[in-house]
Amino acid sequence: MGIPSKKFRRSSGCVLLQRTKFVYFFVTDDDNLKVQLLKIGISDCPATRFETFDKNTPLRLKKLGQIFSNSLLEKQLHDELKEYQTKGEWYFYTNKAKAVVARILDN
């Protein structure tokens, strides 16, 4: 089954294909922290998700990127970085985590 071609517009202004999803990567961006944290999630509109996190998280965030994918990839990434998990979908942004993100975004 191919990617559907019917488009619709969300109130946030994102123009999407039905059933599209993106795995996204956000990282804390605060020089006062001893460690950085990585957020790996899935959304049909990562820009809106970033705005929500940016408003509701006491830390500054930076977008690392996103890739068109599905929840299977998200789960695989969560499993691959499980040893660095802090809480939920947040992970310590270690050298291994940086390499995993680079591998996904560079493909």
Side-chain angles (χ1 to χ4, degrees):
M1 182 181 269
I3 298 172
S5 60
K6 185 175 178 186
K7 292 184 180 180
F8 67 98
R9 183 176 298 274
R10 291 178 48 148
S11 60
S12 65
C14 292
V15 176
L16 305 168
L17 297 174
Q18 287 181 336
R19 292 191 227 125
T20 59
K21 294 284 183 185
F22 297 88
V23 173
Y24 62 82
F25 304 91
F26 305 154
V27 68
T28 54
D29 187 27
D30 191 334
D31 294 335
N32 296 321
L33 295 177
K34 293 181 181 178
V35 296
Q36 285 184 295
L37 299 176
L38 170 69
K39 169 76 167 92
I40 301 172
I42 192 162
S43 176
D44 57 359
C45 190
T48 301
R49 184 65 54 93
F50 180 82
E51 290 172 14
T52 300
F53 274 104
D54 198 39
K55 286 181 199 173
N56 297 310
T57 304
L59 305 169
R60 280 192 308 256
L61 297 175
K62 178 172 75 174
K63 298 176 204 175
L64 294 177
Q66 63 194 34
I67 184 170
F68 178 76
S69 193
N70 57 42
S71 58
L72 179 60
L73 174 63
E74 181 200 27
K75 181 176 180 352
Q76 289 170 337
L77 293 169
H78 289 176
D79 290 344
E80 187 171 355
L81 295 175
K82 188 174 185 162
E83 65 187 289
Y84 304 107
Q85 187 176 24
T86 60
K87 183 177 181 184
E89 296 179 336
W90 289 91
Y91 301 85
F92 290 112
Y93 195 43
T94 62
N95 287 336
K96 179 178 179 181
K98 290 175 185 178
V100 167
V101 171
R103 182 187 79 222
I104 297 301
L105 294 178
D106 289 344
N107 280 334

